[in-house]
Amino acid sequence: MIPIIGKLHRERDVTVLLHSRSLVNKSVVSILKTHRFARQIAGEELSVVETLPFLQALTALDLGPSQIDIGMLAATYKGDDRGLSVAEFTAEAVAGATGANKIERGEGRDVVLYGFGRIGRLVARLLIEKAGSGNGLRLRAIVVRGGGEQSAEDIVKRASLLRRDSIHGQFQGTITVDEASSTIFANGNAIKVIYANDPSEVDYTAYGIKNAILIDNTGKWRDREGLSQHLRPGIDKVVLTAPGKGDVPNIVHGVNHDTVKPDEQILSCASCTTNAIVPPLKAMDDEFGVERGHVETVHSFTNDQNLLDNYHKAERRGRSAPLNMVITETGAASAVAKALPDLKARITGSSIRVPVPDVSIAILNLQLSRETSREEVLDHLREVSLTSPLRRQIDFTTAPDAVSSDFIGSRHASIVDAGATKVEGDNAILYLWYDNEFGYSCQVIRVVQHVSGVEYPTFPSPAV
């Protein structure tokens, strides 16, 4: 399987998935574990013996850039009673990616990261990972504070932080540094490190960058006026990795990304918590209706808090993050209205920061428009996680001993914990895990892919 998956990715820009989980660059053990995990959501374990024939059938097709879920192919084939061979069924299921229907490879799109903190470095890892096929998004530069007066040690330290991460582990590949040219080489990708204290100091065309998407990871500017400072020579669009203010669109991929106008130059990916709650909220509203709701987030601490007690402009956040539970506010509830304008329900929210470095949980308490049962809610959410347009956003687990660290590295916006779900009459309480760093970074990449025109369709097409 591994050589086939690699060849499809390199030569045809095809990403092979298994129930929305990429199998590209995965080890033997990882592929086997991904197959085994299918039992958590589909009810039974998948075997590589079942999926290999579909993978082999793909090699005989004239495929264009796409994402193809062999888990979905295997599952839908089982339910098909027409007597088709695997090859015939596969050809029909992915017809939209073959022949005259296939997308032609584009030139790719330059990307610039403005800020290189927790989210910036994870987004960089994802961009480098996805550069393997030579198409799509190209990370060209990183802008950090300094104005060009840094020593050679500065870029070495920044490269080291990209190489090693206490939570997410080692970078998968090689990283070298050319101090003289302020360039980091990651898996062969040349990434220029630009030192600047203000957007106005940078002319990106001087570095050969053109028509680029700039991802602002600093959160320093949240409104259109402030973010417009990034629209410098070489920059075409600006994407903010924090909730936008004013008329800046807040985009949650999978929910409202298709509302982005082609000429929109500035948009926001909202917050990690907004991305965690909006997809399941939409899924519940579509099926059961939502009258009102409250979200309580139990959130890992962040760099905004203090290591030890010290002054902070916000209430309580000055107290030691690793020693306390800290009550604070969340803007996620109010941001729901921007991402889900058709939702009539009033959603309130609050947050507690707790002494863990990553992975949070949102407790979504909903009053529904009709009475239902726990079984009906779980069956619906399980099906949404497998076959709906939200399957890249919503994951589902029945693991009885699941805890926060189990979800480090999850690429979904949120994971429904089936065992913790409570339903009584018209009241449903959902427990939603989310990797507030990596899962959110994956959502950011999906938005950037969409607005750049390199977001490839997934087959078989999810149910609408």
Side-chain angles (χ1 to χ4, degrees):
M1 294 180 79
I2 290 173
I4 297 174
I5 293 166
K7 188 173 183 180
L8 286 170
H9 185 61
R10 289 190 307 273
E11 298 182 3
R12 306 192 197 180
D13 216 359
V14 172
T15 299
V16 177
L17 310 172
L18 187 87
H19 289 315
S20 300
R21 291 165 171 78
S22 174
L23 299 183
V24 176
N25 294 328
K26 295 298 189 291
S27 67
V28 171
V29 171
S30 180
I31 289 175
L32 289 172
K33 287 180 70 176
T34 304
H35 277 74
R36 191 163 191 266
F37 184 79
R39 78 190 192 283
Q40 295 281 357
I41 48 180
E44 58 183 9
E45 191 172 324
L46 260 179
S47 166
V48 291
V49 176
E50 296 176 76
T51 56
L52 178 59
F54 295 95
L55 194 55
Q56 292 170 327
L58 293 176
T59 63
L61 299 175
D62 180 25
L63 290 168
S66 56
Q67 299 187 102
I68 298 178
D69 195 319
I70 58 174
M72 281 292 295
L73 282 173
T76 52
Y77 182 66
K78 281 183 179 180
D80 190 273
D81 58 2
R82 293 175 294 165
L84 299 177
S85 67
V86 168
E88 291 169 335
F89 181 84
T90 302
E92 179 184 271
V94 303
T98 61
N101 297 321
K102 70 180 183 181
I103 299 172
E104 294 302 325
R105 292 190 182 194
E107 293 183 359
R109 193 72 172 269
D110 290 351
V111 177
V112 173
L113 298 181
Y114 197 96
F116 204 47
R118 297 298 301 152
I119 299 301
R121 291 194 296 273
L122 291 178
V123 168
R125 284 189 174 201
L126 288 165
L127 288 168
I128 296 162
E129 170 192 297
K130 294 179 183 299
S133 62
N135 291 278
L137 304 174
R138 301 181 300 228
L139 177 57
R140 297 293 307 281
I142 297 162
V143 183
V144 294
R145 285 192 297 255
E149 298 177 358
Q150 268 59 36
S151 66
E153 293 179 354
D154 183 272
I155 190 172
V156 172
K157 288 180 179 179
R158 294 184 189 278
S160 181
L161 285 170
L162 179 62
R163 183 183 291 116
R164 302 175 181 87
D165 191 288
S166 301
I167 296 169
H168 302 283
Q170 294 278 342
F171 174 81
Q172 297 301 304
T174 62
I175 293 177
T176 57
V177 175
D178 182 348
E179 293 98 325
S181 64
S182 292
T183 303
I184 296 173
F185 293 91
N187 289 354
N189 299 276
I191 307 164
K192 181 72 175 179
V193 179
I194 302 170
Y195 293 96
N197 291 315
D198 188 83
S200 63
E201 298 177 10
V202 189
D203 178 355
Y204 295 96
T205 59
Y207 304 97
I209 296 169
K210 60 181 181 179
N211 196 35
I213 296 176
L214 182 144
I215 305 174
D216 185 328
N217 306 294
T218 68
K220 183 176 180 180
W221 303 280
R222 300 283 188 93
D223 59 12
R224 187 172 295 275
E225 181 182 0
L227 293 168
S228 293
Q229 297 177 77
H230 289 304
L231 295 174
R232 305 279 298 154
I235 303 298
D236 180 56
K237 295 181 185 292
V238 179
V239 174
L240 171 66
T241 60
K245 296 182 178 180
D247 66 342
V248 175
N250 280 252
I251 304 302
V252 174
H253 191 276
V255 175
N256 68 336
H257 66 277
D258 56 354
T259 65
V260 179
K261 298 176 182 177
D263 61 348
E264 179 60 74
Q265 288 189 288
I266 295 174
L267 54 92
S268 157
C269 290
S271 70
C272 56
T273 302
T274 304
N275 277 265
I277 66 173
V278 166
L281 187 55
K282 177 177 174 16
M284 292 296 288
D285 188 50
D286 287 348
E287 180 66 20
F288 306 103
V290 175
E291 297 297 319
R292 64 174 177 268
H294 176 81
V295 60
E296 188 77 35
T297 69
V298 183
H299 199 290
S300 55
F301 60 74
T302 68
N303 274 333
D304 174 66
Q305 295 171 257
N306 289 332
L307 188 63
L308 294 172
D309 288 0
N310 207 344
Y311 174 80
H312 195 293
K313 63 181 180 180
E315 293 182 357
R316 306 181 199 252
R317 290 198 189 190
R319 300 300 299 277
S320 172
L323 297 179
N324 295 289
M325 293 190 292
V326 179
I327 298 173
T328 187
E329 72 283 346
T330 175
S334 58
V336 168
K338 278 193 169 184
L340 275 178
D342 293 336
L343 181 71
K344 305 305 179 186
R346 180 171 180 266
I347 307 296
T348 58
S350 53
S351 180
I352 302 172
R353 298 285 179 91
V354 294
V356 294
D358 188 31
V359 180
S360 305
I361 190 166
I363 305 167
L364 193 56
N365 193 333
L366 304 174
Q367 182 185 340
L368 307 176
S369 300
R370 66 176 176 88
E371 293 192 355
T372 182
S373 65
R374 183 172 182 272
E375 292 72 21
E376 186 182 9
V377 168
L378 291 179
D379 285 346
H380 172 62
L381 293 174
R382 181 188 291 108
E383 192 63 25
V384 166
S385 74
L386 286 169
T387 64
S388 82
L390 291 171
R391 63 186 183 182
R392 296 173 72 193
Q393 282 70 44
I394 299 176
D395 203 1
F396 188 92
T397 183
T398 58
D401 292 320
V403 293
S404 61
S405 61
D406 296 330
F407 304 103
I408 293 174
S410 170
R411 295 183 180 233
H412 289 78
S414 63
I415 305 100
V416 176
D417 191 317
T421 301
K422 294 174 173 54
V423 179
E424 185 174 346
D426 63 355
N427 177 244
I429 303 175
L430 308 182
Y431 286 74
L432 308 166
W433 298 101
Y434 58 108
D435 185 329
N436 48 278
E437 293 186 337
F438 198 73
Y440 176 67
S441 296
C442 290
Q443 282 287 90
V444 172
I445 291 294
R446 291 171 189 138
V447 170
V448 173
Q449 286 178 317
H450 177 72
V451 299
S452 66
V454 297
E455 183 180 32
Y456 301 140
T458 301
F459 299 95
S461 299
V464 177

